[in-house]
Amino acid sequence: MISAAGLEALVVPALVLTCVAPVVLIYLVWRDVQEKSLW
Amino acid sequence: MMNADAVLPSSYAWLIIGLFSLLWIWLGWRLGRNNDTLDDYMLAGRKVGIGFAVATAMATWVTSNTTMTAPQLAYQLGIWGMVGYSLGAVGLILFAPLARRIREMMPEGYTSGDFIRLRYGNTAWRIFLVISFFYSLGWLISLGMAGGLLINALSGIPYVYGMTVIVVICTLYTVFGGLKAVIGTDFVQTILILLGVIALAVLVINEVGFDAIHAQLETERPELLNLLLPASIMFLFNNLFFGVGEIFHSNVWWSRAFAFAPGVGLKAYALAGVFWLPIPIVAGFIALAAPALGINVPSPDMVAPLVAGKLFGLGGAILVFVVVFAALASSLDSVLAATSDLIVKDIYKGHLRKNASGPELRKAAVAIILGLGALTWVLSVPKMATLGSLLHFTGAFVASTIWPIAVGLLFRKGNGTLASLAMVLGTASGLYAYFAIGFYVAALVSAAVSMLVMLFALMSKPTFDWAELSEARSNPDGEVS
C-alpha cells in the first residue's frame, strides 16, 4: 500500500519534469528558428 | 445524440474547434509554401532541428489515450496503471540509438519499408507491409473514433460532427504542408498539452492536496493504492512491449529518423522519452482526486474531465477540451503523413510504378493523404466498437517486428527467411495468446516467440553487407526538374 508521502514522492518529481519540458522546448525551438531548420 | 453530462457548452466547443482549425491550417500553408522537392514534402527537407524534433516525437506519442486513458487506468488499476502507462516512454528512449544508426546507414532512405526490403528481401518486406498497414489502419480508426467520442462526451456535439471535423482538419493541413506542417503544428500542440496538464495538476494539489486524496482513496478505493496487483504488473510489461513494437516498426518514427538533421536523432528521441515519461503520471494523478471531490463517475474514461469541471468550472472544461483536441490532432496528422509515405514509396513506386519520377510521386502523395483521410472517415462513421478496439488487437502483430528490426540494424547476422519466420510465428502465437489468455499478454508472447527465432540469427555467421542499405537513394526521385 502506497502512503500519502509515497504518492507525493511519485507525483511531485513528475510534475516538476513536466514543468521543465515546455521551457526547454521553447528555448530549443527558438534556436532552431534562428537557424531556419524547418523551412 | 446529445450528451446530458457534457462539461462544456457546445457553442464554446465549436468556437475552440474553429479557432484552432484556422491556426493549424494557416501554419500548414505557411510552412509548406516553400516545399519544392519530394524530400521537402515527405521528410521536411531532412534538416529538422533538435527543438522541433523533440516536440514532434513527444506530441505524436501523446495521443488522446495519454491524456484520457492514463487517468482512466489510474482510476481502474491504481498506481500501477499510470506508472505502467508512463513506461510507454521506454519505446522512445530505446529507439534513440536506432534513429541515429538509421540516419547514418541510410542517409537517403524514406521509409521503414525501404530498410526491411534492402536488409531482408521481398518476402519479409511484404509481410512487414501487411503488419504495418494493419497497425496504421487500427491507429487511424482509433484516433478518428476517439475524436468523435471525446468531443461528444466533453461538449455534446454529435459524434459524426466531431469526428468529421478532426479528420478533415488534419487531412487538410497535412496535404498543404507535408511533414513540415505536421512538425510545426506538433510543437504548438505539445506546448498546449503540457501547459493544460500542468495547470490542472497544480490546481488539484492546491485545492485538494495529497493527504485528502490519499485518505479518501484509502476509504473508498483502497485497491488503487495497492502495489502488488498481479494483473496490473502484467499490464505494465505488456504495455512496455506493445509500445516498443509500435515505435520500432512504424514509419511514423522512421520517417522522423530520416527527417531529423544529422546528429539530432539520438538526442531528440532520448529527450522526448524523458519529457514524455511523467505526463501519464501527472494526468493519472488528476483522476485520483475524484473520490476526494465526491464525484460520481458514470464511466472511468470521463474521470479527468469531470475532475476538471468540478474544480474549475468552465475554465477547467475549456482546458481539457483544448488538451484533448491538440493530442488527437498531433497524432492523427503524423499517422496520415507517415502511412501515405509508406504507400507512395513501398506500394506505388515499389510495386506499381517502379520508374515514377519525383514530381509524379509528389502528386501521388497528395492524392494518397486525401484518400487515407477519406478511408479513416468512412471506417469511423459507423462507430463500431470492434473497429475501435482494432488498435488493441495489433499488439500481437507489431511486437513480432521488434527483434527482426533490432537485429537487422545492429548485426550483419540473420536473413530474410528468419525475419519472415519471426514475424509470422510471433504474430500467430501472439494472436493465440490474445484469444486463449487475454489482451494483456498478446504483445509479450509475440515478442518472446519472435525473439526465439531471431536467436538463431544471432548464432549464425555474419553475411549481410552494410553497403547494400545505402541503395536507398533519393536521386533522381528527390529532384524536381
Side-chain angles (χ1 to χ4, degrees), chain A residues 22-34:
Chain A
V23 178
V24 172
L25 277 178
I26 289 170
Y27 166 69
L28 289 174
V29 163
W30 174 77
R31 235 176 41 172
D32 282 351
V33 168
Q34 306 297 311

Side-chain angles (χ1 to χ4, degrees), chain B residues 203-480:
Chain B
L203 288 167
V204 166
I205 291 172
N206 281 342
E207 299 284 326
V208 189
F210 287 103
D211 289 333
I213 289 174
H214 187 271
Q216 203 60 35
L217 278 175
E218 210 165 27
T219 315
E220 282 187 36
R221 304 283 305 273
E223 72 278 13
L224 297 184
L225 298 168
N226 187 351
L227 291 176
L228 292 172
L229 270 179
S232 302
I233 295 171
M234 191 63 107
F235 160 80
L236 187 149
F237 282 105
N238 191 66
N239 205 43
L240 184 74
F241 276 94
F242 194 169
V244 172
E246 288 183 86
I247 291 186
F248 273 35
H249 95 281
S250 172
N251 197 46
V252 166
W253 309 99
W254 280 72
S255 65
R256 281 164 174 69
F258 293 125
F260 293 170
V264 165
L266 175 75
K267 286 181 283 191
Y269 273 110
L271 201 52
V274 169
F275 282 157
W276 188 91
L277 183 81
I279 297 174
I281 293 176
V282 176
F285 165 71
I286 294 167
L288 293 180
L293 289 165
I295 293 174
N296 173 29
V297 177
S299 66
D301 57 356
M302 279 302 287
V303 63
L306 287 170
V307 169
K310 170 96 177 182
L311 270 178
F312 327 112
L314 184 61
I318 289 174
L319 213 52
V320 169
F321 192 82
V322 169
V323 167
V324 168
F325 192 58
L328 281 165
S330 65
S331 302
L332 187 55
D333 60 10
S334 302
V335 189
L336 280 172
T339 308
S340 99
D341 288 356
L342 207 55
I343 295 175
V344 168
K345 292 296 291 188
D346 293 73
I347 302 292
Y348 186 81
K349 185 174 168 63
H351 283 87
L352 303 175
R353 304 258 310 159
K354 293 187 178 179
N355 297 319
S357 65
E360 182 185 339
L361 292 175
R362 169 76 195 269
K363 277 181 197 157
V366 168
I368 287 167
I369 294 171
L370 289 170
L372 273 176
L375 181 66
T376 305
W377 186 84
V378 166
L379 291 173
S380 300
V381 165
K383 201 162 72 165
M384 283 167 58
T386 42
L387 277 178
S389 58
L390 188 62
L391 182 64
H392 226 61
F393 191 65
T394 60
F397 289 78
V398 300
S400 76
T401 65
I402 297 173
W403 294 103
I405 285 173
V407 170
L409 269 172
L410 300 174
F411 300 98
R412 293 173 51 218
K413 302 172 177 183
N415 56 30
T417 309
L418 280 174
S420 303
L421 262 180
M423 290 191 278
V424 170
L425 292 178
T427 300
S429 53
L431 284 177
Y432 175 76
Y434 181 97
F435 290 111
I437 305 170
F439 76 89
Y440 51 87
V441 290
L444 267 179
V445 170
S446 171
V449 170
S450 154
M451 180 180 78
L452 287 176
V453 175
M454 291 312 285
L455 281 177
F456 284 102
L458 289 177
M459 290 188 282
S460 64
K461 287 184 175 170
T463 51
F464 186 72
D465 178 1
W466 291 125
E468 289 178 43
L469 280 184
S470 58
E471 248 183 56
R473 302 221 171 268
S474 61
N475 294 331
D477 309 323
E479 299 292 337
V480 174

Side-chain angles (χ1 to χ4, degrees), chain A residues 1-5 7-15 17-26 28-29 31-33 36-39, chain B residues 31 47-52 54-55 79 82 180 183-184 187 190-191 194 198 201-202 205 210-211 214 222 225 274-275 278 281-282 285:
Chain A
M1 183 76 82
I2 195 169
S3 65
L7 186 63
E8 192 168 353
L10 174 70
V11 172
V12 169
L15 184 56
L17 188 53
T18 309
C19 291
V20 169
V23 178
V24 172
L25 277 178
I26 289 170
L28 289 174
V29 163
R31 235 176 41 172
D32 282 351
V33 168
K36 289 186 177 291
S37 78
L38 193 62
W39 51 87
Chain B
L31 290 168
K47 56 173 189 175
V48 176
I50 178 98
F52 283 112
V54 175
I79 299 294
M82 59 199 213
K180 284 182 187 174
I183 289 177
F187 167 63
T190 308
I191 300 297
L194 287 169
I198 291 167
V202 168
I205 291 172
F210 287 103
D211 289 333
H214 187 271
L225 298 168
V274 169
F275 282 157
I281 293 176
V282 176
F285 165 71

